Amino acid sequence: MIIDNTHCHSITGPGVPTHRRWPPVAALLLGGLLGGVLCVAQGADARAAGGDLGRMSWLSGVWESEPDAKTGSQMEYVYAPVFHGVIASTLIRVTNGQVDRYEFRTIQSENGHVIFRELAFNGNLSPADPVPPRPLESQDPTHINFVDMRVTRISEDRIHVSLTIRHPPGAPPHALEEDLQRVMHFTKK
Protein backbone atom coordinates (compact mmCIF):
# COMPACT_ATOMS: atom_id res chain seq x y z
CA MET A 1 0.00 0.00 0.00
CA ILE A 2 1.29 3.44 -0.93
CA ILE A 3 0.05 6.44 1.00
CA ASP A 4 0.10 9.71 -0.91
CA ASN A 5 0.32 12.28 1.86
CA THR A 6 1.51 15.30 -0.06
CA HIS A 7 -1.38 17.31 1.37
CA CYS A 8 -1.55 15.61 4.76
CA HIS A 9 -0.59 17.26 8.04
CA SER A 10 1.32 15.61 10.86
CA ILE A 11 -0.35 15.22 14.24
CA THR A 12 2.24 17.27 16.13
CA GLY A 13 5.47 19.07 15.36
CA PRO A 14 6.97 22.38 14.37
CA GLY A 15 4.92 24.40 11.97
CA VAL A 16 1.70 22.48 12.68
CA PRO A 17 -1.13 24.90 13.45
CA THR A 18 -2.29 24.79 17.07
CA HIS A 19 -5.72 23.47 16.06
CA ARG A 20 -3.94 20.41 14.59
CA ARG A 21 -1.95 19.60 17.75
CA TRP A 22 -3.75 17.01 19.78
CA PRO A 23 -3.08 15.96 23.36
CA PRO A 24 -0.72 12.96 23.73
CA VAL A 25 -3.56 10.55 24.60
CA ALA A 26 -5.47 11.71 21.54
CA ALA A 27 -2.40 11.33 19.35
CA LEU A 28 -1.86 7.80 20.66
CA LEU A 29 -5.51 6.90 20.12
CA LEU A 30 -5.45 8.36 16.62
CA GLY A 31 -2.18 6.58 15.84
CA GLY A 32 -3.60 3.29 17.10
CA LEU A 33 -6.86 3.65 15.21
CA LEU A 34 -5.18 4.78 12.00
CA GLY A 35 -2.53 2.08 12.33
CA GLY A 36 -5.27 -0.50 12.73
CA VAL A 37 -7.23 0.92 9.82
CA LEU A 38 -4.15 0.96 7.60
CA CYS A 39 -3.23 -2.60 8.61
CA VAL A 40 -6.76 -3.69 7.81
CA ALA A 41 -6.51 -1.86 4.49
CA GLN A 42 -3.37 -3.70 3.35
CA GLY A 43 -4.24 -6.08 0.59
CA ALA A 44 -7.75 -4.69 0.39
CA ASP A 45 -9.52 -4.90 -2.92
CA ALA A 46 -12.90 -3.23 -3.36
CA ARG A 47 -13.81 -5.61 -6.16
CA ALA A 48 -13.55 -8.56 -3.77
CA ALA A 49 -16.32 -7.12 -1.63
CA GLY A 50 -18.70 -6.98 -4.57
CA GLY A 51 -22.17 -5.55 -4.24
CA ASP A 52 -22.84 -2.27 -2.55
CA LEU A 53 -19.57 -1.98 -0.62
CA GLY A 54 -17.44 -2.28 -3.75
CA ARG A 55 -19.35 0.62 -5.26
CA MET A 56 -18.39 2.74 -2.21
CA SER A 57 -14.66 2.37 -2.83
CA TRP A 58 -14.40 6.04 -3.90
CA LEU A 59 -14.75 6.97 -0.20
CA SER A 60 -11.30 5.53 0.54
CA GLY A 61 -8.89 8.17 1.86
CA VAL A 62 -8.56 10.96 4.40
CA TRP A 63 -11.10 13.80 4.18
CA GLU A 64 -11.05 17.14 6.04
CA SER A 65 -13.54 19.94 6.46
CA GLU A 66 -12.61 23.59 6.59
CA PRO A 67 -12.85 25.13 10.08
CA ASP A 68 -16.44 26.25 10.71
CA ALA A 69 -16.56 30.01 11.35
CA LYS A 70 -19.61 29.74 13.67
CA THR A 71 -18.65 26.72 15.80
CA GLY A 72 -14.86 26.73 15.48
CA SER A 73 -14.92 23.02 14.66
CA GLN A 74 -13.10 21.04 11.99
CA MET A 75 -13.51 17.36 11.16
CA GLU A 76 -11.28 14.67 9.71
CA TYR A 77 -12.76 11.44 8.34
CA VAL A 78 -10.67 8.41 7.37
CA TYR A 79 -12.20 5.64 5.22
CA ALA A 80 -10.08 2.52 4.67
CA PRO A 81 -10.52 0.50 1.49
CA VAL A 82 -12.95 -2.44 1.66
CA PHE A 83 -11.36 -5.40 3.46
CA HIS A 84 -13.17 -8.73 3.84
CA GLY A 85 -16.53 -7.06 3.41
CA VAL A 86 -15.96 -4.17 5.83
CA ILE A 87 -15.14 -0.49 5.37
CA ALA A 88 -13.53 0.77 8.61
CA SER A 89 -13.63 4.49 9.31
CA THR A 90 -12.62 7.01 11.96
CA LEU A 91 -13.69 10.57 12.67
CA ILE A 92 -12.02 13.23 14.79
CA ARG A 93 -13.67 16.58 15.54
CA VAL A 94 -11.57 19.45 16.85
CA THR A 95 -13.37 22.50 18.25
CA ASN A 96 -11.41 25.63 19.12
CA GLY A 97 -8.18 23.66 19.19
CA GLN A 98 -9.47 20.82 21.39
CA VAL A 99 -10.52 17.33 20.34
CA ASP A 100 -14.13 16.94 21.49
CA ARG A 101 -15.27 13.83 19.58
CA TYR A 102 -13.86 10.58 18.24
CA GLU A 103 -15.76 7.94 16.29
CA PHE A 104 -14.93 4.45 15.10
CA ARG A 105 -17.30 3.47 12.30
CA THR A 106 -17.96 0.46 10.08
CA ILE A 107 -19.93 -0.13 6.92
CA GLN A 108 -20.75 -3.76 6.23
CA SER A 109 -23.43 -6.12 5.05
CA GLU A 110 -25.56 -7.67 7.78
CA ASN A 111 -28.31 -10.14 6.90
CA GLY A 112 -28.38 -8.89 3.31
CA HIS A 113 -28.49 -5.18 4.24
CA VAL A 114 -25.60 -2.69 4.24
CA ILE A 115 -25.41 -0.94 7.62
CA PHE A 116 -23.37 2.07 8.81
CA ARG A 117 -22.51 1.80 12.53
CA GLU A 118 -20.54 4.12 14.77
CA LEU A 119 -19.15 4.03 18.27
CA ALA A 120 -18.60 7.57 19.55
CA PHE A 121 -16.45 9.01 22.33
CA ASN A 122 -16.14 12.46 23.87
CA GLY A 123 -12.78 14.24 23.79
CA ASN A 124 -11.80 12.66 27.13
CA LEU A 125 -12.60 9.19 25.68
CA SER A 126 -15.73 8.76 27.77
CA PRO A 127 -18.61 7.20 25.80
CA ALA A 128 -20.72 9.67 23.82
CA ASP A 129 -24.46 9.28 23.19
CA PRO A 130 -25.13 6.12 21.17
CA VAL A 131 -25.94 6.55 17.49
CA PRO A 132 -28.49 4.13 16.00
CA PRO A 133 -27.41 1.96 13.05
CA ARG A 134 -27.98 3.58 9.67
CA PRO A 135 -29.19 1.16 6.98
CA LEU A 136 -28.33 1.92 3.36
CA GLU A 137 -31.34 3.32 1.50
CA SER A 138 -29.82 3.80 -1.97
CA GLN A 139 -26.63 4.50 -3.87
CA ASP A 140 -25.39 5.39 -7.33
CA PRO A 141 -21.96 6.48 -8.62
CA THR A 142 -22.21 9.90 -6.88
CA HIS A 143 -24.56 9.32 -3.91
CA ILE A 144 -24.53 7.07 -0.85
CA ASN A 145 -27.76 7.44 1.13
CA PHE A 146 -28.05 5.91 4.58
CA VAL A 147 -30.90 6.69 6.97
CA ASP A 148 -30.13 10.19 8.34
CA MET A 149 -26.83 10.40 6.42
CA ARG A 150 -26.26 11.42 2.79
CA VAL A 151 -22.87 11.50 1.06
CA THR A 152 -22.64 13.25 -2.31
CA ARG A 153 -19.52 13.03 -4.46
CA ILE A 154 -18.95 16.51 -5.89
CA SER A 155 -15.66 15.70 -7.63
CA GLU A 156 -12.80 13.22 -7.35
CA ASP A 157 -11.58 14.84 -4.12
CA ARG A 158 -14.65 16.67 -2.77
CA ILE A 159 -17.74 15.34 -1.01
CA HIS A 160 -20.72 16.83 0.80
CA VAL A 161 -22.12 15.07 3.88
CA SER A 162 -25.62 15.78 5.22
CA LEU A 163 -26.47 14.36 8.64
CA THR A 164 -29.63 14.43 10.70
CA ILE A 165 -28.62 14.36 14.36
CA ARG A 166 -31.22 12.84 16.69
CA HIS A 167 -29.62 13.26 20.08
CA PRO A 168 -29.58 13.96 22.90
CA PRO A 169 -32.67 11.80 23.39
CA GLY A 170 -35.84 13.87 23.43
CA ALA A 171 -34.26 16.84 21.63
CA PRO A 172 -35.59 17.84 18.21
CA PRO A 173 -33.45 16.59 15.30
CA HIS A 174 -31.03 19.05 13.73
CA ALA A 175 -29.09 19.05 10.48
CA LEU A 176 -25.32 19.07 10.03
CA GLU A 177 -23.87 19.89 6.60
CA GLU A 178 -20.16 19.35 5.86
CA ASP A 179 -18.09 19.90 2.73
CA LEU A 180 -14.96 17.76 2.79
CA GLN A 181 -11.76 17.76 0.75
CA ARG A 182 -9.72 14.57 0.30
CA VAL A 183 -6.20 15.27 1.61
CA MET A 184 -4.76 11.75 1.26
CA HIS A 185 -5.40 8.80 -1.07
CA PHE A 186 -4.84 5.13 -0.31
CA THR A 187 -3.46 3.43 -3.39
CA LYS A 188 -3.03 -0.31 -3.73
CA LYS A 189 0.53 -1.23 -4.64
Side-chain angles (χ1 to χ4, degrees):
M1 163 142 325
I2 298 169
I3 300 175
D4 171 12
N5 63 353
T6 54
H7 298 97
C8 188
H9 304 284
S10 62
I11 295 171
T12 61
V16 176
T18 307
H19 73 277
R20 296 296 299 197
R21 293 185 184 168
W22 299 323
V25 171
L28 288 174
L29 174 67
L30 174 64
L33 284 174
L34 287 178
V37 167
L38 292 175
C39 287
V40 166
Q42 287 194 357
D45 187 323
R47 291 180 306 270
D52 294 320
L53 291 179
R55 290 179 24 207
M56 294 180 192
S57 64
W58 55 265
L59 277 175
S60 177
V62 179
W63 302 84
E64 289 183 359
S65 68
E66 290 294 323
D68 185 288
K70 290 191 318 190
T71 65
S73 68
Q74 182 177 16
M75 295 196 209
E76 179 181 81
Y77 296 72
V78 177
Y79 286 95
V82 177
F83 183 73
H84 289 278
V86 177
I87 296 174
S89 174
T90 60
L91 172 136
I92 296 175
R93 183 178 67 200
V94 176
T95 302
N96 297 321
Q98 300 293 315
V99 176
D100 64 353
R101 186 171 180 92
Y102 300 99
E103 293 176 4
F104 179 73
R105 300 117 52 95
T106 61
I107 303 172
Q108 65 188 63
S109 182
E110 299 176 16
N111 300 317
H113 301 282
V114 174
I115 308 290
F116 180 100
R117 294 185 182 277
E118 68 184 67
L119 182 59
F121 301 91
N122 297 308
N124 64 2
L125 297 179
S126 63
D129 289 333
V131 178
R134 296 182 172 128
L136 181 67
E137 294 179 314
S138 65
Q139 72 176 32
D140 61 42
T142 57
H143 300 91
I144 302 172
N145 298 315
F146 292 97
V147 169
D148 291 338
M149 182 175 134
R150 312 277 183 248
V151 181
T152 302
R153 186 179 192 179
I154 298 168
S155 69
E156 179 69 22
D157 292 321
R158 291 184 43 83
I159 60 175
H160 180 81
V161 178
S162 299
L163 292 168
T164 301
I165 311 294
R166 299 185 186 279
H167 58 73
H174 65 278
L176 174 66
E177 304 287 331
E178 286 288 340
D179 287 317
L180 302 164
Q181 176 79 33
R182 188 180 349 232
V183 296
M184 186 187 318
H185 288 265
F186 300 129
T187 306
K188 188 171 179 178
K189 194 172 186 179

Short mmCIF file of all heavy atoms in Angstrom, two decimals, residues 43-90:
data_model
loop_
_atom_site.label_atom_id
_atom_site.label_comp_id
_atom_site.label_asym_id
_atom_site.label_seq_id
_atom_site.Cartn_x
_atom_site.Cartn_y
_atom_site.Cartn_z
N GLY A 43 -3.74 -4.96 1.38
CA GLY A 43 -4.24 -6.08 0.59
C GLY A 43 -5.71 -5.96 0.27
O GLY A 43 -6.30 -6.86 -0.31
N ALA A 44 -6.33 -4.86 0.64
CA ALA A 44 -7.75 -4.69 0.39
C ALA A 44 -8.01 -4.52 -1.09
O ALA A 44 -7.23 -3.94 -1.81
CB ALA A 44 -8.27 -3.47 1.16
N ASP A 45 -9.13 -5.03 -1.52
CA ASP A 45 -9.52 -4.90 -2.92
C ASP A 45 -11.02 -4.71 -2.95
O ASP A 45 -11.77 -5.61 -2.58
CB ASP A 45 -9.11 -6.15 -3.70
CG ASP A 45 -9.35 -6.00 -5.19
OD1 ASP A 45 -10.35 -5.37 -5.58
OD2 ASP A 45 -8.52 -6.51 -5.95
N ALA A 46 -11.47 -3.54 -3.37
CA ALA A 46 -12.90 -3.23 -3.36
C ALA A 46 -13.68 -4.20 -4.22
O ALA A 46 -14.82 -4.52 -3.91
CB ALA A 46 -13.12 -1.80 -3.83
N ARG A 47 -13.08 -4.70 -5.29
CA ARG A 47 -13.81 -5.61 -6.16
C ARG A 47 -14.15 -6.90 -5.43
O ARG A 47 -15.16 -7.54 -5.72
CB ARG A 47 -13.00 -5.90 -7.42
CG ARG A 47 -12.88 -4.71 -8.34
CD ARG A 47 -12.06 -5.05 -9.57
NE ARG A 47 -10.76 -5.61 -9.24
CZ ARG A 47 -9.65 -4.89 -9.06
NH1 ARG A 47 -9.68 -3.58 -9.20
NH2 ARG A 47 -8.51 -5.46 -8.77
N ALA A 48 -13.31 -7.31 -4.48
CA ALA A 48 -13.55 -8.56 -3.77
C ALA A 48 -14.80 -8.47 -2.92
O ALA A 48 -15.46 -9.47 -2.67
CB ALA A 48 -12.35 -8.91 -2.89
N ALA A 49 -15.14 -7.27 -2.47
CA ALA A 49 -16.32 -7.12 -1.63
C ALA A 49 -17.58 -7.29 -2.44
O ALA A 49 -18.58 -7.78 -1.95
CB ALA A 49 -16.32 -5.75 -0.96
N GLY A 50 -17.53 -6.87 -3.71
CA GLY A 50 -18.70 -6.98 -4.57
C GLY A 50 -19.85 -6.13 -4.04
O GLY A 50 -19.73 -5.42 -3.06
N GLY A 51 -20.96 -6.21 -4.70
CA GLY A 51 -22.17 -5.55 -4.24
C GLY A 51 -22.00 -4.10 -3.90
O GLY A 51 -21.21 -3.38 -4.47
N ASP A 52 -22.78 -3.67 -2.92
CA ASP A 52 -22.84 -2.27 -2.55
C ASP A 52 -21.53 -1.72 -2.00
O ASP A 52 -21.16 -0.59 -2.27
CB ASP A 52 -23.95 -2.05 -1.53
CG ASP A 52 -25.33 -2.30 -2.12
OD1 ASP A 52 -25.57 -1.92 -3.27
OD2 ASP A 52 -26.15 -2.89 -1.40
N LEU A 53 -20.80 -2.50 -1.21
CA LEU A 53 -19.57 -1.98 -0.62
C LEU A 53 -18.52 -1.69 -1.69
O LEU A 53 -17.81 -0.69 -1.60
CB LEU A 53 -19.00 -2.96 0.41
CG LEU A 53 -19.81 -3.11 1.69
CD1 LEU A 53 -19.14 -4.11 2.61
CD2 LEU A 53 -19.99 -1.78 2.40
N GLY A 54 -18.40 -2.52 -2.68
CA GLY A 54 -17.44 -2.28 -3.75
C GLY A 54 -17.71 -0.98 -4.48
O GLY A 54 -16.80 -0.29 -4.90
N ARG A 55 -18.99 -0.62 -4.59
CA ARG A 55 -19.35 0.62 -5.26
C ARG A 55 -19.08 1.85 -4.38
O ARG A 55 -19.20 2.98 -4.84
CB ARG A 55 -20.81 0.57 -5.68
CG ARG A 55 -21.03 -0.42 -6.81
CD ARG A 55 -22.46 -0.56 -7.28
NE ARG A 55 -23.32 0.57 -7.03
CZ ARG A 55 -24.64 0.44 -6.89
NH1 ARG A 55 -25.23 -0.73 -6.96
NH2 ARG A 55 -25.38 1.51 -6.68
N MET A 56 -18.72 1.63 -3.12
CA MET A 56 -18.39 2.74 -2.21
C MET A 56 -16.89 2.98 -2.14
O MET A 56 -16.43 3.80 -1.35
CB MET A 56 -18.92 2.44 -0.81
CG MET A 56 -20.41 2.41 -0.70
SD MET A 56 -20.89 2.05 1.00
CE MET A 56 -22.62 1.71 0.77
N SER A 57 -16.12 2.29 -2.95
CA SER A 57 -14.66 2.37 -2.83
C SER A 57 -14.12 3.79 -3.03
O SER A 57 -13.02 4.09 -2.57
CB SER A 57 -14.00 1.40 -3.82
OG SER A 57 -14.30 1.76 -5.14
N TRP A 58 -14.87 4.66 -3.70
CA TRP A 58 -14.40 6.04 -3.90
C TRP A 58 -14.30 6.83 -2.60
O TRP A 58 -13.68 7.88 -2.54
CB TRP A 58 -15.27 6.78 -4.92
CG TRP A 58 -16.74 6.82 -4.66
CD1 TRP A 58 -17.68 5.96 -5.16
CD2 TRP A 58 -17.46 7.78 -3.88
NE1 TRP A 58 -18.93 6.33 -4.72
CE2 TRP A 58 -18.83 7.44 -3.94
CE3 TRP A 58 -17.08 8.89 -3.13
CZ2 TRP A 58 -19.81 8.17 -3.27
CZ3 TRP A 58 -18.07 9.62 -2.47
CH2 TRP A 58 -19.41 9.25 -2.55
N LEU A 59 -14.88 6.31 -1.50
CA LEU A 59 -14.75 6.97 -0.20
C LEU A 59 -13.35 6.83 0.40
O LEU A 59 -12.97 7.60 1.27
CB LEU A 59 -15.74 6.37 0.80
CG LEU A 59 -17.16 6.88 0.79
CD1 LEU A 59 -18.00 6.08 1.77
CD2 LEU A 59 -17.22 8.35 1.11
N SER A 60 -12.60 5.84 -0.05
CA SER A 60 -11.30 5.53 0.54
C SER A 60 -10.39 6.76 0.55
O SER A 60 -10.21 7.44 -0.46
CB SER A 60 -10.65 4.40 -0.27
OG SER A 60 -9.38 4.12 0.23
N GLY A 61 -9.81 7.05 1.72
CA GLY A 61 -8.89 8.17 1.86
C GLY A 61 -9.13 8.95 3.14
O GLY A 61 -9.92 8.55 3.99
N VAL A 62 -8.43 10.06 3.25
CA VAL A 62 -8.56 10.96 4.40
C VAL A 62 -9.23 12.23 3.90
O VAL A 62 -8.79 12.83 2.91
CB VAL A 62 -7.19 11.29 5.03
CG1 VAL A 62 -7.34 12.25 6.20
CG2 VAL A 62 -6.48 10.01 5.47
N TRP A 63 -10.30 12.64 4.57
CA TRP A 63 -11.10 13.80 4.18
C TRP A 63 -11.12 14.80 5.33
O TRP A 63 -11.29 14.42 6.48
CB TRP A 63 -12.54 13.35 3.89
CG TRP A 63 -12.66 12.31 2.82
CD1 TRP A 63 -12.52 10.96 2.96
CD2 TRP A 63 -12.97 12.54 1.45
NE1 TRP A 63 -12.72 10.34 1.76
CE2 TRP A 63 -12.99 11.29 0.81
CE3 TRP A 63 -13.22 13.69 0.70
CZ2 TRP A 63 -13.26 11.14 -0.55
CZ3 TRP A 63 -13.49 13.55 -0.65
CH2 TRP A 63 -13.51 12.29 -1.26
N GLU A 64 -11.00 16.09 5.01
CA GLU A 64 -11.05 17.14 6.04
C GLU A 64 -12.04 18.23 5.65
O GLU A 64 -12.16 18.57 4.48
CB GLU A 64 -9.68 17.79 6.23
CG GLU A 64 -8.68 16.91 6.90
CD GLU A 64 -7.35 17.62 7.14
OE1 GLU A 64 -7.21 18.80 6.76
OE2 GLU A 64 -6.47 16.97 7.70
N SER A 65 -12.68 18.77 6.67
CA SER A 65 -13.54 19.94 6.46
C SER A 65 -12.71 21.19 6.72
O SER A 65 -11.66 21.14 7.36
CB SER A 65 -14.73 19.90 7.42
OG SER A 65 -14.30 20.09 8.76
N GLU A 66 -13.19 22.30 6.23
CA GLU A 66 -12.61 23.59 6.59
C GLU A 66 -13.10 23.93 8.01
O GLU A 66 -14.18 23.50 8.41
CB GLU A 66 -13.08 24.68 5.62
CG GLU A 66 -12.50 24.54 4.23
CD GLU A 66 -11.00 24.75 4.19
OE1 GLU A 66 -10.49 25.62 4.93
OE2 GLU A 66 -10.34 24.01 3.44
N PRO A 67 -12.35 24.71 8.77
CA PRO A 67 -12.85 25.13 10.08
C PRO A 67 -14.16 25.91 9.93
O PRO A 67 -14.29 26.75 9.05
CB PRO A 67 -11.74 26.03 10.62
CG PRO A 67 -10.51 25.60 9.87
CD PRO A 67 -10.99 25.18 8.51
N ASP A 68 -15.13 25.59 10.75
CA ASP A 68 -16.44 26.25 10.71
C ASP A 68 -16.34 27.58 11.44
O ASP A 68 -15.96 27.62 12.62
CB ASP A 68 -17.49 25.34 11.37
CG ASP A 68 -18.88 25.90 11.27
OD1 ASP A 68 -19.18 26.90 11.97
OD2 ASP A 68 -19.69 25.35 10.50
N ALA A 69 -16.68 28.66 10.77
CA ALA A 69 -16.56 30.01 11.35
C ALA A 69 -17.47 30.19 12.56
O ALA A 69 -17.12 30.91 13.50
CB ALA A 69 -16.86 31.06 10.29
N LYS A 70 -18.66 29.56 12.56
CA LYS A 70 -19.61 29.74 13.67
C LYS A 70 -19.25 28.89 14.89
O LYS A 70 -19.31 29.36 16.01
CB LYS A 70 -21.03 29.40 13.22
CG LYS A 70 -21.60 30.42 12.24
CD LYS A 70 -23.08 30.27 11.98
CE LYS A 70 -23.57 28.88 11.81
NZ LYS A 70 -24.95 28.76 11.34
N THR A 71 -18.87 27.63 14.67
CA THR A 71 -18.65 26.72 15.80
C THR A 71 -17.18 26.55 16.15
O THR A 71 -16.85 26.05 17.22
CB THR A 71 -19.23 25.32 15.50
OG1 THR A 71 -18.49 24.74 14.41
CG2 THR A 71 -20.70 25.38 15.17
N GLY A 72 -16.28 26.93 15.24
CA GLY A 72 -14.86 26.73 15.48
C GLY A 72 -14.41 25.29 15.32
O GLY A 72 -13.31 24.93 15.71
N SER A 73 -15.27 24.43 14.76
CA SER A 73 -14.92 23.02 14.66
C SER A 73 -14.42 22.65 13.27
O SER A 73 -14.75 23.30 12.28
CB SER A 73 -16.11 22.13 15.04
OG SER A 73 -17.14 22.23 14.09
N GLN A 74 -13.60 21.61 13.24
CA GLN A 74 -13.10 21.04 11.99
C GLN A 74 -13.10 19.53 12.17
O GLN A 74 -12.84 19.01 13.26
CB GLN A 74 -11.67 21.52 11.72
CG GLN A 74 -11.13 21.00 10.41
CD GLN A 74 -9.74 21.53 10.08
OE1 GLN A 74 -9.05 22.05 10.95
NE2 GLN A 74 -9.34 21.39 8.84
N MET A 75 -13.43 18.81 11.08
CA MET A 75 -13.51 17.36 11.16
C MET A 75 -12.55 16.70 10.19
O MET A 75 -12.27 17.23 9.12
CB MET A 75 -14.93 16.89 10.85
CG MET A 75 -15.93 17.34 11.88
SD MET A 75 -17.43 16.41 11.73
CE MET A 75 -18.60 17.59 12.32
N GLU A 76 -12.08 15.52 10.59
CA GLU A 76 -11.28 14.67 9.71
C GLU A 76 -11.91 13.29 9.72
O GLU A 76 -12.15 12.70 10.78
CB GLU A 76 -9.84 14.58 10.20
CG GLU A 76 -9.00 13.68 9.31
CD GLU A 76 -7.58 13.56 9.79
OE1 GLU A 76 -7.35 12.76 10.72
OE2 GLU A 76 -6.72 14.26 9.26
N TYR A 77 -12.20 12.78 8.52
CA TYR A 77 -12.76 11.44 8.34
C TYR A 77 -11.70 10.59 7.64
O TYR A 77 -11.05 11.06 6.71
CB TYR A 77 -13.97 11.47 7.40
CG TYR A 77 -15.19 12.22 7.87
CD1 TYR A 77 -15.20 13.61 7.92
CD2 TYR A 77 -16.35 11.54 8.21
CE1 TYR A 77 -16.33 14.30 8.31
CE2 TYR A 77 -17.50 12.23 8.58
CZ TYR A 77 -17.48 13.60 8.64
OH TYR A 77 -18.61 14.28 9.02
N VAL A 78 -11.54 9.35 8.06
CA VAL A 78 -10.67 8.41 7.37
C VAL A 78 -11.53 7.20 7.00
O VAL A 78 -12.21 6.63 7.85
CB VAL A 78 -9.50 7.94 8.26
CG1 VAL A 78 -8.65 6.89 7.54
CG2 VAL A 78 -8.65 9.12 8.70
N TYR A 79 -11.51 6.84 5.71
CA TYR A 79 -12.20 5.64 5.22
C TYR A 79 -11.15 4.71 4.63
O TYR A 79 -10.47 5.07 3.67
CB TYR A 79 -13.23 5.98 4.14
CG TYR A 79 -14.47 6.64 4.67
CD1 TYR A 79 -14.59 8.03 4.67
CD2 TYR A 79 -15.53 5.88 5.16
CE1 TYR A 79 -15.73 8.65 5.16
CE2 TYR A 79 -16.68 6.50 5.65
CZ TYR A 79 -16.77 7.87 5.64
OH TYR A 79 -17.90 8.48 6.13
N ALA A 80 -11.00 3.52 5.22
CA ALA A 80 -10.08 2.52 4.67
C ALA A 80 -10.74 1.85 3.48
O ALA A 80 -11.98 1.83 3.37
CB ALA A 80 -9.76 1.48 5.74
N PRO A 81 -9.94 1.28 2.58
CA PRO A 81 -10.52 0.50 1.49
C PRO A 81 -11.28 -0.71 2.04
O PRO A 81 -11.03 -1.16 3.16
CB PRO A 81 -9.30 0.04 0.69
CG PRO A 81 -8.22 1.00 1.04
CD PRO A 81 -8.48 1.39 2.47
N VAL A 82 -12.18 -1.26 1.26
CA VAL A 82 -12.95 -2.44 1.66
C VAL A 82 -11.98 -3.58 1.96
O VAL A 82 -11.06 -3.84 1.19
CB VAL A 82 -13.94 -2.86 0.55
CG1 VAL A 82 -14.68 -4.12 0.96
CG2 VAL A 82 -14.90 -1.74 0.24
N PHE A 83 -12.18 -4.25 3.08
CA PHE A 83 -11.36 -5.40 3.46
C PHE A 83 -12.27 -6.46 4.05
O PHE A 83 -12.94 -6.22 5.05
CB PHE A 83 -10.30 -4.98 4.47
CG PHE A 83 -9.36 -6.08 4.87
CD1 PHE A 83 -8.40 -6.54 4.00
CD2 PHE A 83 -9.45 -6.65 6.13
CE1 PHE A 83 -7.54 -7.55 4.37
CE2 PHE A 83 -8.60 -7.65 6.51
CZ PHE A 83 -7.63 -8.12 5.63
N HIS A 84 -12.33 -7.61 3.38
CA HIS A 84 -13.17 -8.73 3.84
C HIS A 84 -14.59 -8.28 4.15
O HIS A 84 -15.17 -8.65 5.17
CB HIS A 84 -12.55 -9.44 5.04
CG HIS A 84 -11.32 -10.22 4.69
ND1 HIS A 84 -11.38 -11.48 4.15
CD2 HIS A 84 -10.01 -9.89 4.77
CE1 HIS A 84 -10.15 -11.91 3.92
NE2 HIS A 84 -9.30 -10.95 4.28
N GLY A 85 -15.14 -7.46 3.28
CA GLY A 85 -16.53 -7.06 3.41
C GLY A 85 -16.80 -5.97 4.42
O GLY A 85 -17.96 -5.76 4.80
N VAL A 86 -15.78 -5.25 4.85
CA VAL A 86 -15.96 -4.17 5.83
C VAL A 86 -15.20 -2.93 5.38
O VAL A 86 -14.06 -3.03 4.95
CB VAL A 86 -15.45 -4.58 7.23
CG1 VAL A 86 -15.59 -3.43 8.23
CG2 VAL A 86 -16.17 -5.81 7.75
N ILE A 87 -15.83 -1.77 5.50
CA ILE A 87 -15.14 -0.49 5.37
C ILE A 87 -15.02 0.03 6.80
O ILE A 87 -16.02 0.25 7.48
CB ILE A 87 -15.93 0.52 4.51
CG1 ILE A 87 -16.05 0.02 3.07
CG2 ILE A 87 -15.25 1.89 4.56
CD1 ILE A 87 -16.94 0.89 2.19
N ALA A 88 -13.78 0.20 7.27
CA ALA A 88 -13.53 0.77 8.61
C ALA A 88 -13.28 2.26 8.44
O ALA A 88 -12.69 2.69 7.44
CB ALA A 88 -12.33 0.10 9.26
N SER A 89 -13.74 3.04 9.41
CA SER A 89 -13.63 4.49 9.31
C SER A 89 -13.43 5.10 10.70
O SER A 89 -13.87 4.54 11.70
CB SER A 89 -14.91 5.05 8.69
OG SER A 89 -14.92 6.46 8.70
N THR A 90 -12.73 6.24 10.73
CA THR A 90 -12.62 7.01 11.96
C THR A 90 -13.02 8.45 11.69
O THR A 90 -13.00 8.91 10.54
CB THR A 90 -11.17 7.01 12.52
OG1 THR A 90 -10.30 7.58 11.54
CG2 THR A 90 -10.72 5.61 12.88
#
